[in-house]
Amino acid sequence: MPTARAVRTACGERAAQEVPVMPLPDARAHRPATALPCVMAITVIAPADLVVAESDGITIQLGGVQLDAQGWDGQAGMRVHLHGLRGPETMRRDEDFHAAREAWCRDFQQHGQDLAVDPPQMPGVAVLDRVQVVVSDDVGTDYRLLAGQVAGDGTDWEASWVHGPFPPAHASRLHLTFTLDGEPTGSDCTVLLD
C-alpha cells in the first residue's frame, strides 16, 4: 500500500488545504526519463474547503488525486478520490441501509435463491454515482473513464474514478471539472504536473 503524501492546495486568497496524492514506486515508468517523476511535489489548486458538489443533501469533497492508477484493463491513468462528508444525514441513511440489509438477509435465509428481491443498495451509491469528473490537460489529450468504484463495506461514502491515458510527458497541468448529473458544479481543480 502506498504511503499517502500531502500536497498544498489553495483557491485565490483562501487558506491552503491538504490533499493526499498517492504515487506508487513505478509511477515514473509511465513517463520518459527526461520528465519529472511523479514522486516530486505536485500542486493541486482546488476550492479551499475541497467541496466539489452537493448531491442529494450530502456534501462531496475531493479526497485526493493518484497519478499512477490503473483501469480494469491494466491501462495506466490517474484516479480521483471523492468522499461524502459524514453527518446526521449520512448516519440516518446508514442506519436505514443496515436495517434493510438485515431484513433482506433474514428473508434470504428463509427463502434462499427463490427470493425475488435484490439486496438493498448502499446509500452512498445513489449520492456519489451522480458526481463525475471530466479530465483534460493543457495539450489536448483525450481522457476517458477507465474504471470506477462507488461505496462498499468500509468505504460506504467514498468513490474513485480512473481516467486514462496517463498524462503525456509534455503536459504540465491537468484540469478536473466536476459534474452532478452531467452538469458542471462550478468547482474545478487543477493539478500542476511540473
Side-chain angles (χ1 to χ4, degrees), residues 58-185:
I58 307 296
T59 300
I60 309 301
Q61 283 186 316
L62 175 65
V65 179
Q66 182 180 344
L67 291 178
D68 54 358
Q70 288 186 342
W72 302 122
D73 62 358
Q75 183 177 351
M78 82 279 320
R79 181 183 308 269
V80 177
H81 297 273
L82 303 174
H83 65 266
L85 288 181
R86 297 282 191 164
E89 182 61 18
T90 58
M91 290 189 291
R92 182 192 64 75
R93 292 179 191 202
D94 286 341
E95 289 172 6
D96 291 349
F97 166 73
H98 290 297
R101 183 162 65 175
E102 287 176 12
W104 180 86
C105 287
R106 283 191 303 275
D107 287 347
F108 187 81
Q109 288 173 346
Q110 275 186 330
H111 305 288
Q113 293 181 355
D114 295 333
L115 182 68
V117 178
D118 289 331
Q121 184 181 62
M122 298 189 86
V125 173
V127 172
L128 291 162
D129 202 33
R130 299 174 58 203
V131 181
Q132 299 289 315
V133 61
V134 177
V135 180
S136 60
D137 64 26
D138 57 332
V139 297
T141 307
D142 184 25
Y143 293 97
R144 63 183 178 87
L145 182 64
L146 301 177
Q149 184 265 324
V150 178
D153 287 329
T155 59
D156 310 73
W157 293 96
E158 297 175 16
S160 65
W161 307 109
V162 178
H163 287 80
F166 190 80
H170 56 285
S172 63
R173 64 183 60 222
L174 294 173
H175 187 74
L176 309 177
T177 300
F178 296 92
T179 64
L180 178 67
D181 299 329
E183 296 295 321
T185 65

Side-chain angles (χ1 to χ4, degrees), residues 48-63:
D49 58 6
L50 302 179
V51 172
V52 298
E54 291 285 331
S55 178
D56 198 27
I58 307 296
T59 300
I60 309 301
Q61 283 186 316
L62 175 65

